[in-house]
Amino acid sequence: MVYSAEYRRCWQSSFDCCSYWICVAHAILLCMRPLVRPLWSGLGLLATGLGIAGVVLPLLPATPFFLLAAFAFARSSPRLHAWLTGHRRFGPVIADWQRHGAIARRAKVTAVAVMVLTLAAGALAGLQAWLLGVQAAAMAGAAAFILSRPEPPRDPAAAAAEARADAAEAAGDDAGAAGG
């Protein structure tokens, strides 16, 4: 195992209670490093699969899963992150969220409409009142969060072009790092 200079300094320093536990935590993180990247990749692939299912299934949201996939791929695979953020359909949505924490008006309207329709379908299906109340409270919280997000400051075409440029740059950086 290759030890970092920080790790060696840690063990050579005085062993008061605090620095000892910091050294132990650092040693655990060094041992876990080879496991972390595959875990992030697995989470990204799972989230991408759920996002693709969310595109097809009406009650499963796609965007949160693609945002989670982008987050996981940013920590594990620059190539998959560049592919996802450069995607024609999902790239601009991810870029808006990463840069501005923004959700487009059309997405907000769609999300809230699906929530209302889902609640209405539950009422028509004869769900118990307490279950409808829990569902309404959860959806109200989600709707409040969605509606509180700002809108993106630019048009979608510019966002798509910017996402593709970022993806190309990330892919170029990845290729340069692999070759050098």
Side-chain angles (χ1 to χ4, degrees):
M1 176 182 268
V2 177
Y3 296 107
S4 67
E6 177 184 344
Y7 179 76
R8 284 193 299 271
R9 273 194 312 275
C10 186
W11 280 108
Q12 292 168 356
S13 66
S14 64
F15 280 98
D16 62 354
C17 179
C18 185
S19 65
Y20 171 76
W21 289 111
I22 291 172
C23 292
V24 169
H26 194 262
I28 291 170
L29 289 175
L30 280 174
C31 292
M32 290 178 56
R33 186 176 290 166
L35 301 174
V36 173
R37 189 171 176 161
L39 290 175
W40 281 120
S41 291
L43 178 63
L45 291 171
L46 176 67
T48 301
L50 290 172
I52 291 169
V55 169
V56 178
L57 300 173
L59 298 180
L60 185 66
T63 303
F65 291 115
F66 285 120
L67 292 174
L68 177 61
F71 179 82
F73 288 149
R75 283 149 184 74
S76 63
S77 173
R79 184 177 57 85
L80 289 173
H81 184 260
W83 169 78
L84 190 59
T85 56
H87 191 274
R88 179 181 55 85
R89 181 169 178 177
F90 304 114
V93 175
I94 293 168
D96 285 340
W97 181 259
Q98 287 179 336
R99 290 190 184 103
H100 308 288
I103 301 174
R105 180 174 295 175
R106 181 176 172 190
K108 289 179 183 183
V109 169
T110 302
V112 173
V114 168
M115 288 181 207
V116 169
L117 290 174
T118 302
L119 191 59
L124 290 174
L127 292 179
Q128 296 177 358
W130 71 268
L131 187 56
L132 285 172
V134 169
Q135 191 177 25
M139 288 185 187
F145 176 77
I146 289 170
L147 295 173
S148 70
R149 301 295 90 205
E151 291 185 22
R154 60 197 179 284
D155 64 338
E162 190 174 326
R164 281 192 295 275
D166 288 349
E169 181 181 319
D173 289 347
D174 187 34

